[in-house]
Tab-separated table of all heavy atoms in Angstrom:
chain	number	residue	atom	x	y	z
A	1	MET	N	-11.292	121.670	115.908
A	1	MET	CA	-10.978	123.002	116.292
A	1	MET	C	-10.097	122.939	117.625
A	1	MET	O	-10.320	122.191	118.540
A	1	MET	CB	-12.242	123.687	116.721
A	1	MET	CG	-12.314	124.994	116.162
A	1	MET	SD	-13.954	125.838	116.627
A	1	MET	CE	-13.455	127.381	116.025
A	2	LYS	N	-9.059	123.798	117.476
A	2	LYS	CA	-8.093	123.764	118.643
A	2	LYS	C	-8.642	124.714	119.819
A	2	LYS	O	-9.400	125.641	119.564
A	2	LYS	CB	-6.754	124.243	118.224
A	2	LYS	CG	-6.085	123.231	117.201
A	2	LYS	CD	-4.677	123.813	116.760
A	2	LYS	CE	-4.031	122.785	115.906
A	2	LYS	NZ	-2.756	123.247	115.510
A	3	LYS	N	-8.085	124.535	121.018
A	3	LYS	CA	-8.549	125.354	122.153
A	3	LYS	C	-8.179	126.810	121.935
A	3	LYS	O	-8.892	127.738	122.294
A	3	LYS	CB	-7.852	124.848	123.462
A	3	LYS	CG	-8.469	123.638	124.011
A	3	LYS	CD	-7.911	123.242	125.340
A	3	LYS	CE	-8.483	122.036	125.908
A	3	LYS	NZ	-7.954	121.646	127.179
A	4	SER	N	-6.938	127.103	121.213
A	4	SER	CA	-6.589	128.452	121.035
A	4	SER	C	-7.526	129.138	120.112
A	4	SER	O	-7.800	130.357	120.230
A	4	SER	CB	-5.136	128.370	120.475
A	4	SER	OG	-5.060	127.708	119.258
A	5	GLU	N	-8.046	128.430	119.134
A	5	GLU	CA	-9.056	129.001	118.252
A	5	GLU	C	-10.234	129.302	118.836
A	5	GLU	O	-10.997	130.360	118.660
A	5	GLU	CB	-9.288	128.027	117.090
A	5	GLU	CG	-8.064	127.810	116.247
A	5	GLU	CD	-8.325	126.682	115.080
A	5	GLU	OE1	-9.391	125.969	115.155
A	5	GLU	OE2	-7.535	126.462	114.205
A	6	ILE	N	-10.682	128.445	119.807
A	6	ILE	CA	-11.950	128.589	120.537
A	6	ILE	C	-11.951	129.825	121.455
A	6	ILE	O	-12.827	130.596	121.641
A	6	ILE	CB	-12.404	127.318	121.228
A	6	ILE	CG1	-12.657	126.257	120.344
A	6	ILE	CG2	-13.486	127.535	122.238
A	6	ILE	CD1	-12.871	124.902	120.967
A	7	LYS	N	-10.706	130.022	122.163
A	7	LYS	CA	-10.571	131.128	123.054
A	7	LYS	C	-10.583	132.466	122.441
A	7	LYS	O	-10.960	133.484	122.905
A	7	LYS	CB	-9.278	130.960	123.805
A	7	LYS	CG	-9.275	129.812	124.848
A	7	LYS	CD	-7.965	129.752	125.652
A	7	LYS	CE	-8.078	128.659	126.671
A	7	LYS	NZ	-6.899	128.579	127.540
A	8	GLU	N	-10.338	132.571	121.038
A	8	GLU	CA	-10.204	133.749	120.407
A	8	GLU	C	-11.669	134.228	119.986
A	8	GLU	O	-11.828	135.395	119.752
A	8	GLU	CB	-9.330	133.721	119.062
A	8	GLU	CG	-7.934	133.461	119.427
A	8	GLU	CD	-7.131	133.220	118.149
A	8	GLU	OE1	-7.661	133.115	117.084
A	8	GLU	OE2	-5.873	133.041	118.299
A	9	LEU	N	-12.620	133.342	119.881
A	9	LEU	CA	-13.936	133.663	119.532
A	9	LEU	C	-14.676	134.429	120.715
A	9	LEU	O	-14.480	134.199	121.902
A	9	LEU	CB	-14.683	132.469	119.117
A	9	LEU	CG	-14.165	131.675	117.991
A	9	LEU	CD1	-14.926	130.432	117.727
A	9	LEU	CD2	-14.221	132.497	116.697
A	10	SER	N	-15.642	135.214	120.301
A	10	SER	CA	-16.550	135.924	121.265
A	10	SER	C	-17.697	134.883	121.668
A	10	SER	O	-17.859	133.817	121.134
A	10	SER	CB	-17.138	137.213	120.618
A	10	SER	OG	-18.079	136.863	119.666
A	11	VAL	N	-18.461	135.371	122.662
A	11	VAL	CA	-19.520	134.513	123.254
A	11	VAL	C	-20.512	134.199	122.184
A	11	VAL	O	-20.934	133.061	121.979
A	11	VAL	CB	-20.096	135.180	124.510
A	11	VAL	CG1	-21.318	134.359	124.898
A	11	VAL	CG2	-19.073	135.209	125.598
A	12	SER	N	-20.976	135.293	121.428
A	12	SER	CA	-21.902	134.962	120.333
A	12	SER	C	-21.397	134.127	119.262
A	12	SER	O	-22.245	133.291	118.753
A	12	SER	CB	-22.416	136.355	119.763
A	12	SER	OG	-21.366	137.074	119.253
A	13	GLU	N	-20.172	134.258	118.962
A	13	GLU	CA	-19.651	133.432	117.881
A	13	GLU	C	-19.619	132.003	118.421
A	13	GLU	O	-19.733	131.067	117.654
A	13	GLU	CB	-18.201	133.945	117.533
A	13	GLU	CG	-18.213	135.204	116.759
A	13	GLU	CD	-16.780	135.652	116.485
A	13	GLU	OE1	-15.915	135.473	117.343
A	13	GLU	OE2	-16.615	136.452	115.549
A	14	LEU	N	-19.204	131.885	119.721
A	14	LEU	CA	-19.101	130.555	120.320
A	14	LEU	C	-20.545	129.764	120.338
A	14	LEU	O	-20.623	128.602	119.907
A	14	LEU	CB	-18.610	130.521	121.708
A	14	LEU	CG	-17.111	130.647	121.885
A	14	LEU	CD1	-16.766	130.983	123.370
A	14	LEU	CD2	-16.352	129.512	121.342
A	15	GLN	N	-21.584	130.640	120.643
A	15	GLN	CA	-22.835	129.925	120.582
A	15	GLN	C	-23.293	129.616	119.191
A	15	GLN	O	-23.853	128.539	119.007
A	15	GLN	CB	-23.904	130.944	121.221
A	15	GLN	CG	-23.672	131.217	122.762
A	15	GLN	CD	-24.560	132.282	123.218
A	15	GLN	OE1	-25.028	133.232	122.522
A	15	GLN	NE2	-24.759	132.322	124.525
A	16	GLU	N	-22.893	130.414	118.277
A	16	GLU	CA	-23.332	130.127	116.813
A	16	GLU	C	-22.567	128.880	116.419
A	16	GLU	O	-23.085	127.918	115.782
A	16	GLU	CB	-22.890	131.329	115.960
A	16	GLU	CG	-23.317	131.199	114.478
A	16	GLU	CD	-22.877	132.319	113.674
A	16	GLU	OE1	-23.088	133.473	114.179
A	16	GLU	OE2	-22.421	132.249	112.597
A	17	LYS	N	-21.237	128.793	116.741
A	17	LYS	CA	-20.426	127.678	116.408
A	17	LYS	C	-20.952	126.437	117.028
A	17	LYS	O	-20.953	125.327	116.436
A	17	LYS	CB	-18.976	127.987	116.795
A	17	LYS	CG	-17.938	127.043	116.171
A	17	LYS	CD	-17.800	127.310	114.704
A	17	LYS	CE	-16.637	126.609	114.133
A	17	LYS	NZ	-16.593	126.668	112.702
A	18	LEU	N	-21.421	126.485	118.310
A	18	LEU	CA	-21.909	125.444	118.993
A	18	LEU	C	-23.144	124.799	118.277
A	18	LEU	O	-23.279	123.660	118.122
A	18	LEU	CB	-22.218	125.728	120.498
A	18	LEU	CG	-22.692	124.687	121.393
A	18	LEU	CD1	-21.554	123.538	121.552
A	18	LEU	CD2	-23.079	125.265	122.667
A	19	SER	N	-24.013	125.660	117.863
A	19	SER	CA	-25.213	125.189	117.160
A	19	SER	C	-24.911	124.558	115.904
A	19	SER	O	-25.451	123.495	115.471
A	19	SER	CB	-26.275	126.293	117.118
A	19	SER	OG	-25.777	127.281	116.301
A	20	GLU	N	-23.997	125.155	115.204
A	20	GLU	CA	-23.530	124.648	113.902
A	20	GLU	C	-22.921	123.127	114.057
A	20	GLU	O	-23.242	122.300	113.320
A	20	GLU	CB	-22.641	125.453	113.247
A	20	GLU	CG	-23.108	126.738	112.702
A	20	GLU	CD	-22.047	127.709	112.182
A	20	GLU	OE1	-20.762	127.192	112.061
A	20	GLU	OE2	-22.334	128.886	111.809
A	21	THR	N	-22.036	123.022	115.051
A	21	THR	CA	-21.343	121.823	115.267
A	21	THR	C	-22.332	120.712	115.754
A	21	THR	O	-22.183	119.589	115.306
A	21	THR	CB	-20.207	121.864	116.277
A	21	THR	OG1	-19.819	123.254	116.510
A	21	THR	CG2	-18.971	121.262	115.946
A	22	LYS	N	-23.298	121.114	116.599
A	22	LYS	CA	-24.255	120.098	117.099
A	22	LYS	C	-25.180	119.732	115.894
A	22	LYS	O	-25.470	118.477	115.826
A	22	LYS	CB	-25.172	120.715	118.074
A	22	LYS	CG	-24.648	120.794	119.476
A	22	LYS	CD	-25.592	121.346	120.521
A	22	LYS	CE	-24.975	121.219	121.912
A	22	LYS	NZ	-26.011	121.664	122.905
A	23	LYS	N	-25.494	120.501	115.024
A	23	LYS	CA	-26.258	120.170	113.824
A	23	LYS	C	-25.508	119.226	112.910
A	23	LYS	O	-25.932	118.163	112.455
A	23	LYS	CB	-26.685	121.314	113.047
A	23	LYS	CG	-27.567	121.013	111.825
A	23	LYS	CD	-28.153	122.128	111.133
A	23	LYS	CE	-29.044	121.861	110.013
A	23	LYS	NZ	-29.062	120.558	109.537
A	24	SER	N	-24.279	119.514	112.688
A	24	SER	CA	-23.420	118.680	111.820
A	24	SER	C	-23.221	117.296	112.453
A	24	SER	O	-23.128	116.331	111.826
A	24	SER	CB	-22.087	119.293	111.508
A	24	SER	OG	-21.222	119.492	112.541
A	25	TYR	N	-23.023	117.317	113.773
A	25	TYR	CA	-22.920	116.008	114.529
A	25	TYR	C	-24.144	115.142	114.345
A	25	TYR	O	-24.064	113.996	114.086
A	25	TYR	CB	-22.680	116.244	115.982
A	25	TYR	CG	-22.548	114.986	116.826
A	25	TYR	CD1	-21.484	114.084	116.604
A	25	TYR	CD2	-23.548	114.694	117.769
A	25	TYR	CE1	-21.418	112.914	117.315
A	25	TYR	CE2	-23.446	113.430	118.479
A	25	TYR	CZ	-22.431	112.630	118.297
A	25	TYR	OH	-22.222	111.407	119.047
A	26	SER	N	-25.352	115.764	114.469
A	26	SER	CA	-26.497	114.918	114.362
A	26	SER	C	-26.752	114.477	113.027
A	26	SER	O	-27.206	113.389	112.775
A	26	SER	CB	-27.735	115.738	114.894
A	26	SER	OG	-27.939	116.894	114.057
A	27	ASP	N	-26.343	115.256	112.014
A	27	ASP	CA	-26.467	114.911	110.573
A	27	ASP	C	-25.507	113.690	110.310
A	27	ASP	O	-25.965	112.726	109.625
A	27	ASP	CB	-26.108	116.104	109.547
A	27	ASP	CG	-27.202	117.143	109.676
A	27	ASP	OD1	-28.333	116.904	110.200
A	27	ASP	OD2	-26.885	118.204	109.225
A	28	LEU	N	-24.339	113.804	110.788
A	28	LEU	CA	-23.299	112.758	110.606
A	28	LEU	C	-23.798	111.436	111.321
A	28	LEU	O	-23.669	110.310	110.764
A	28	LEU	CB	-22.054	113.033	110.996
A	28	LEU	CG	-21.048	113.786	110.067
A	28	LEU	CD1	-19.742	114.184	110.774
A	28	LEU	CD2	-20.745	112.940	108.916
A	29	LYS	N	-24.385	111.663	112.427
A	29	LYS	CA	-24.808	110.442	113.267
A	29	LYS	C	-25.956	109.746	112.463
A	29	LYS	O	-26.026	108.478	112.414
A	29	LYS	CB	-25.267	110.858	114.645
A	29	LYS	CG	-25.350	109.852	115.660
A	29	LYS	CD	-25.645	110.323	117.030
A	29	LYS	CE	-25.779	109.240	117.952
A	29	LYS	NZ	-26.035	109.719	119.253
A	30	MET	N	-26.881	110.488	111.871
A	30	MET	CA	-27.931	109.952	111.202
A	30	MET	C	-27.419	109.227	109.890
A	30	MET	O	-27.844	108.089	109.525
A	30	MET	CB	-29.055	110.994	110.781
A	30	MET	CG	-29.814	111.384	111.852
A	30	MET	SD	-30.769	110.078	112.511
A	30	MET	CE	-32.336	110.811	112.450
A	31	ALA	N	-26.491	109.831	109.234
A	31	ALA	CA	-25.877	109.350	107.953
A	31	ALA	C	-25.162	107.945	108.352
A	31	ALA	O	-25.250	106.992	107.540
A	31	ALA	CB	-24.972	110.322	107.396
A	32	HIS	N	-24.524	107.933	109.470
A	32	HIS	CA	-23.822	106.712	109.917
A	32	HIS	C	-24.737	105.627	110.314
A	32	HIS	O	-24.450	104.527	110.055
A	32	HIS	CB	-22.902	107.086	111.147
A	32	HIS	CG	-22.021	106.013	111.528
A	32	HIS	ND1	-21.101	105.361	110.651
A	32	HIS	CD2	-21.960	105.239	112.737
A	32	HIS	CE1	-20.430	104.402	111.406
A	32	HIS	NE2	-21.020	104.350	112.575
A	33	ALA	N	-25.943	105.995	110.778
A	33	ALA	CA	-26.931	104.944	111.202
A	33	ALA	C	-27.437	104.308	109.891
A	33	ALA	O	-27.865	103.083	109.948
A	33	ALA	CB	-28.103	105.567	111.936
A	34	ILE	N	-27.582	105.108	108.858
A	34	ILE	CA	-28.223	104.547	107.580
A	34	ILE	C	-27.115	103.712	106.826
A	34	ILE	O	-27.365	102.570	106.432
A	34	ILE	CB	-28.671	105.696	106.633
A	34	ILE	CG1	-29.887	106.388	107.351
A	34	ILE	CG2	-29.008	105.174	105.321
A	34	ILE	CD1	-30.313	107.729	106.745
A	35	SER	N	-25.995	104.279	106.620
A	35	SER	CA	-24.948	103.566	105.983
A	35	SER	C	-23.597	104.014	106.663
A	35	SER	O	-23.378	105.142	106.930
A	35	SER	CB	-24.824	103.891	104.533
A	35	SER	OG	-24.576	105.152	104.192
A	36	PRO	N	-22.646	103.064	106.858
A	36	PRO	CA	-21.456	103.403	107.523
A	36	PRO	C	-20.648	104.579	106.884
A	36	PRO	O	-20.542	104.647	105.691
A	36	PRO	CB	-20.647	102.118	107.518
A	36	PRO	CG	-21.587	101.050	107.227
A	36	PRO	CD	-22.757	101.699	106.488
A	37	LEU	N	-20.102	105.340	107.729
A	37	LEU	CA	-19.267	106.490	107.229
A	37	LEU	C	-17.858	105.934	106.781
A	37	LEU	O	-17.440	104.932	107.225
A	37	LEU	CB	-19.062	107.615	108.277
A	37	LEU	CG	-20.219	108.271	108.727
A	37	LEU	CD1	-19.861	109.228	109.876
A	37	LEU	CD2	-20.804	109.206	107.627
A	38	ASP	N	-17.270	106.639	105.814
A	38	ASP	CA	-15.899	106.274	105.417
A	38	ASP	C	-14.853	106.520	106.588
A	38	ASP	O	-14.076	105.692	106.785
A	38	ASP	CB	-15.431	107.072	104.244
A	38	ASP	CG	-16.193	106.861	102.978
A	38	ASP	OD1	-16.739	105.710	102.902
A	38	ASP	OD2	-16.326	107.632	102.083
A	39	ASN	N	-15.200	107.525	107.363
A	39	ASN	CA	-14.240	107.833	108.503
A	39	ASN	C	-15.088	108.007	109.703
A	39	ASN	O	-15.461	109.188	110.056
A	39	ASN	CB	-13.432	109.109	108.175
A	39	ASN	CG	-12.344	109.337	109.126
A	39	ASN	OD1	-12.109	108.573	110.081
A	39	ASN	ND2	-11.761	110.477	109.057
A	40	PRO	N	-15.318	106.944	110.467
A	40	PRO	CA	-16.271	107.150	111.697
A	40	PRO	C	-15.604	107.891	112.755
A	40	PRO	O	-16.342	108.276	113.731
A	40	PRO	CB	-16.637	105.618	112.017
A	40	PRO	CG	-15.490	104.896	111.429
A	40	PRO	CD	-15.054	105.621	110.188
A	41	ILE	N	-14.310	108.119	112.784
A	41	ILE	CA	-13.639	108.872	113.726
A	41	ILE	C	-14.126	110.389	113.765
A	41	ILE	O	-14.044	111.035	114.713
A	41	ILE	CB	-12.130	108.755	113.592
A	41	ILE	CG1	-11.788	107.307	113.875
A	41	ILE	CG2	-11.381	109.656	114.465
A	41	ILE	CD1	-10.353	106.980	113.734
A	42	GLN	N	-14.606	110.725	112.584
A	42	GLN	CA	-15.257	112.118	112.483
A	42	GLN	C	-16.314	112.393	113.559
A	42	GLN	O	-16.385	113.505	114.139
A	42	GLN	CB	-15.935	112.355	111.088
A	42	GLN	CG	-15.104	112.515	109.984
A	42	GLN	CD	-15.885	112.688	108.702
A	42	GLN	OE1	-16.911	111.935	108.530
A	42	GLN	NE2	-15.473	113.572	107.882
A	43	LEU	N	-17.119	111.312	113.953
A	43	LEU	CA	-18.106	111.469	114.995
A	43	LEU	C	-17.428	111.845	116.299
A	43	LEU	O	-17.883	112.783	116.993
A	43	LEU	CB	-18.863	110.165	115.061
A	43	LEU	CG	-19.776	109.863	113.996
A	43	LEU	CD1	-20.356	108.488	114.159
A	43	LEU	CD2	-20.905	110.871	113.887
A	44	ARG	N	-16.334	111.196	116.584
A	44	ARG	CA	-15.684	111.444	117.891
A	44	ARG	C	-15.030	112.850	117.830
A	44	ARG	O	-15.134	113.610	118.910
A	44	ARG	CB	-14.495	110.364	118.161
A	44	ARG	CG	-13.807	110.707	119.378
A	44	ARG	CD	-12.754	109.709	119.701
A	44	ARG	NE	-12.693	108.422	118.858
A	44	ARG	CZ	-11.540	107.729	118.634
A	44	ARG	NH1	-10.394	108.082	119.224
A	44	ARG	NH2	-11.576	106.706	117.864
A	45	GLN	N	-14.559	113.299	116.753
A	45	GLN	CA	-13.778	114.599	116.644
A	45	GLN	C	-14.938	115.734	116.799
A	45	GLN	O	-14.707	116.689	117.609
A	45	GLN	CB	-13.072	114.772	115.401
A	45	GLN	CG	-11.818	113.812	115.178
A	45	GLN	CD	-11.343	113.841	113.828
A	45	GLN	OE1	-12.015	114.250	112.871
A	45	GLN	NE2	-10.077	113.498	113.726
A	46	ILE	N	-15.934	115.545	116.204
A	46	ILE	CA	-17.056	116.575	116.313
A	46	ILE	C	-17.585	116.579	117.757
A	46	ILE	O	-17.934	117.687	118.168
A	46	ILE	CB	-18.203	116.360	115.170
A	46	ILE	CG1	-17.546	116.604	113.850
A	46	ILE	CG2	-19.342	117.259	115.398
A	46	ILE	CD1	-18.405	116.421	112.739
A	47	ARG	N	-17.841	115.351	118.283
A	47	ARG	CA	-18.372	115.344	119.658
A	47	ARG	C	-17.437	116.112	120.605
A	47	ARG	O	-17.945	116.835	121.551
A	47	ARG	CB	-18.707	113.910	119.976
A	47	ARG	CG	-19.388	113.739	121.321
A	47	ARG	CD	-19.744	112.313	121.663
A	47	ARG	NE	-18.485	111.503	121.751
A	47	ARG	CZ	-18.255	110.429	121.054
A	47	ARG	NH1	-18.976	110.146	120.077
A	47	ARG	NH2	-17.151	109.705	121.228
A	48	ARG	N	-16.201	115.898	120.411
A	48	ARG	CA	-15.171	116.551	121.320
A	48	ARG	C	-15.151	117.978	121.045
A	48	ARG	O	-14.880	118.754	122.037
A	48	ARG	CB	-13.830	115.965	121.146
A	48	ARG	CG	-13.693	114.558	121.706
A	48	ARG	CD	-12.345	113.834	121.564
A	48	ARG	NE	-12.371	112.606	122.127
A	48	ARG	CZ	-11.325	111.751	122.192
A	48	ARG	NH1	-10.281	112.129	121.462
A	48	ARG	NH2	-11.368	110.616	122.677
A	49	THR	N	-15.283	118.445	119.914
A	49	THR	CA	-15.370	119.842	119.579
A	49	THR	C	-16.585	120.474	120.232
A	49	THR	O	-16.489	121.716	120.789
A	49	THR	CB	-15.436	120.124	117.988
A	49	THR	OG1	-14.280	119.430	117.445
A	49	THR	CG2	-15.361	121.585	117.693
A	50	VAL	N	-17.683	119.827	120.188
A	50	VAL	CA	-18.866	120.402	120.947
A	50	VAL	C	-18.578	120.534	122.355
A	50	VAL	O	-18.881	121.596	122.958
A	50	VAL	CB	-20.070	119.386	120.671
A	50	VAL	CG1	-21.166	119.719	121.628
A	50	VAL	CG2	-20.468	119.526	119.180
A	51	ALA	N	-17.928	119.507	122.971
A	51	ALA	CA	-17.569	119.660	124.385
A	51	ALA	C	-16.619	120.731	124.699
A	51	ALA	O	-16.789	121.536	125.703
A	51	ALA	CB	-16.963	118.296	124.861
A	52	LYS	N	-15.651	120.912	123.824
A	52	LYS	CA	-14.714	122.061	124.021
A	52	LYS	C	-15.376	123.369	124.022
A	52	LYS	O	-15.078	124.299	124.812
A	52	LYS	CB	-13.593	121.982	122.970
A	52	LYS	CG	-12.605	120.977	123.093
A	52	LYS	CD	-11.566	120.860	121.949
A	52	LYS	CE	-10.745	119.648	121.935
A	52	LYS	NZ	-9.858	119.568	120.722
A	53	ILE	N	-16.206	123.569	123.005
A	53	ILE	CA	-16.937	124.797	122.898
A	53	ILE	C	-17.845	125.064	124.096
A	53	ILE	O	-17.934	126.129	124.695
A	53	ILE	CB	-17.712	124.877	121.561
A	53	ILE	CG1	-16.831	124.870	120.378
A	53	ILE	CG2	-18.552	126.171	121.538
A	53	ILE	CD1	-17.500	124.755	119.011
A	54	ALA	N	-18.610	124.001	124.521
A	54	ALA	CA	-19.574	124.117	125.681
A	54	ALA	C	-18.712	124.491	126.902
A	54	ALA	O	-19.145	125.224	127.721
A	54	ALA	CB	-20.271	122.819	125.804
A	55	THR	N	-17.604	123.850	127.075
A	55	THR	CA	-16.713	124.131	128.261
A	55	THR	C	-16.271	125.559	128.282
A	55	THR	O	-16.265	126.210	129.378
A	55	THR	CB	-15.435	123.138	128.321
A	55	THR	OG1	-15.931	121.839	128.263
A	55	THR	CG2	-14.681	123.362	129.396
A	56	GLU	N	-15.901	126.064	127.187
A	56	GLU	CA	-15.390	127.460	127.143
A	56	GLU	C	-16.419	128.451	127.381
A	56	GLU	O	-16.285	129.407	128.100
A	56	GLU	CB	-14.827	127.717	125.718
A	56	GLU	CG	-14.264	129.217	125.556
A	56	GLU	CD	-13.095	129.423	126.539
A	56	GLU	OE1	-12.332	128.515	126.817
A	56	GLU	OE2	-12.877	130.636	126.856
A	57	LEU	N	-17.730	128.094	126.868
A	57	LEU	CA	-18.916	128.956	127.266
A	57	LEU	C	-19.190	128.942	128.818
A	57	LEU	O	-19.520	130.013	129.352
A	57	LEU	CB	-20.158	128.483	126.460
A	57	LEU	CG	-20.177	128.958	125.077
A	57	LEU	CD1	-21.454	128.301	124.334
A	57	LEU	CD2	-20.449	130.404	124.942
A	58	THR	N	-19.112	127.773	129.330
A	58	THR	CA	-19.283	127.660	130.760
A	58	THR	C	-18.247	128.432	131.613
A	58	THR	O	-18.544	129.120	132.558
A	58	THR	CB	-19.247	126.145	131.277
A	58	THR	OG1	-20.299	125.503	130.472
A	58	THR	CG2	-19.556	126.012	132.700
A	59	LYS	N	-17.088	128.310	131.155
A	59	LYS	CA	-15.981	129.061	131.825
A	59	LYS	C	-16.265	130.593	131.813
A	59	LYS	O	-16.028	131.346	132.737
A	59	LYS	CB	-14.636	128.899	131.118
A	59	LYS	CG	-13.899	127.494	131.473
A	59	LYS	CD	-12.605	127.536	130.829
A	59	LYS	CE	-11.880	126.235	131.017
A	59	LYS	NZ	-10.573	126.169	130.284
A	60	ARG	N	-16.648	131.118	130.685
A	60	ARG	CA	-16.914	132.520	130.478
A	60	ARG	C	-18.189	132.914	131.287
A	60	ARG	O	-18.205	134.117	131.711
A	60	ARG	CB	-17.092	132.843	129.052
A	60	ARG	CG	-15.732	132.684	128.380
A	60	ARG	CD	-15.951	133.215	126.894
A	60	ARG	NE	-14.721	132.923	126.174
A	60	ARG	CZ	-14.495	133.390	124.952
A	60	ARG	NH1	-15.401	134.089	124.245
A	60	ARG	NH2	-13.370	133.068	124.302
A	61	ASP	N	-19.168	132.013	131.542
A	61	ASP	CA	-20.340	132.440	132.423
A	61	ASP	C	-19.883	132.646	133.813
A	61	ASP	O	-20.496	133.431	134.539
A	61	ASP	CB	-21.458	131.390	132.187
A	61	ASP	CG	-22.156	131.388	130.905
A	61	ASP	OD1	-22.059	132.500	130.234
A	61	ASP	OD2	-22.801	130.406	130.493
A	62	LEU	N	-18.926	131.857	134.273
A	62	LEU	CA	-18.530	131.950	135.635
A	62	LEU	C	-17.640	133.212	135.714
A	62	LEU	O	-17.575	133.945	136.535
A	62	LEU	CB	-17.722	130.751	136.034
A	62	LEU	CG	-18.503	129.421	135.960
A	62	LEU	CD1	-17.539	128.342	136.331
A	62	LEU	CD2	-19.673	129.411	136.997
């Protein structure tokens, strides 16, 4: 997800997206622990997306 896409979302949409992304990250992490993923870079991309969304939420709280 790009920063421009994140900035367009409302606070409630950001919170919903954050919970969805965290869940998909934990699911992928578990799947990777059991058997290696075809594309392990997905983990990094999702982790960074979580950080981008959390950062935008923090900015809006201030």
Side-chain angles (χ1 to χ4, degrees):
M1 221 175 173
K2 296 184 179 182
K3 284 186 181 181
S4 59
E5 295 173 352
I6 292 173
K7 287 183 179 183
E8 293 174 359
L9 298 175
S10 69
V11 174
S12 61
E13 290 173 332
L14 282 173
Q15 290 172 341
E16 182 179 321
K17 193 74 169 168
L18 181 64
S19 64
E20 289 173 8
T21 344
K22 280 185 176 181
K23 182 173 179 354
S24 68
Y25 176 69
S26 64
D27 292 343
L28 269 179
K29 197 170 177 185
M30 288 297 236
H32 185 62
I34 295 170
S35 64
L37 294 174
D38 293 334
N39 187 6
I41 295 178
Q42 284 178 319
L43 290 172
R44 183 183 342 161
Q45 291 171 342
I46 292 177
R47 188 175 62 241
R48 287 181 178 176
T49 302
V50 167
K52 287 176 188 175
I53 294 172
T55 301
E56 183 63 28
L57 280 171
T58 303
K59 279 183 185 178
R60 291 185 186 190
D61 284 344
L62 298 176

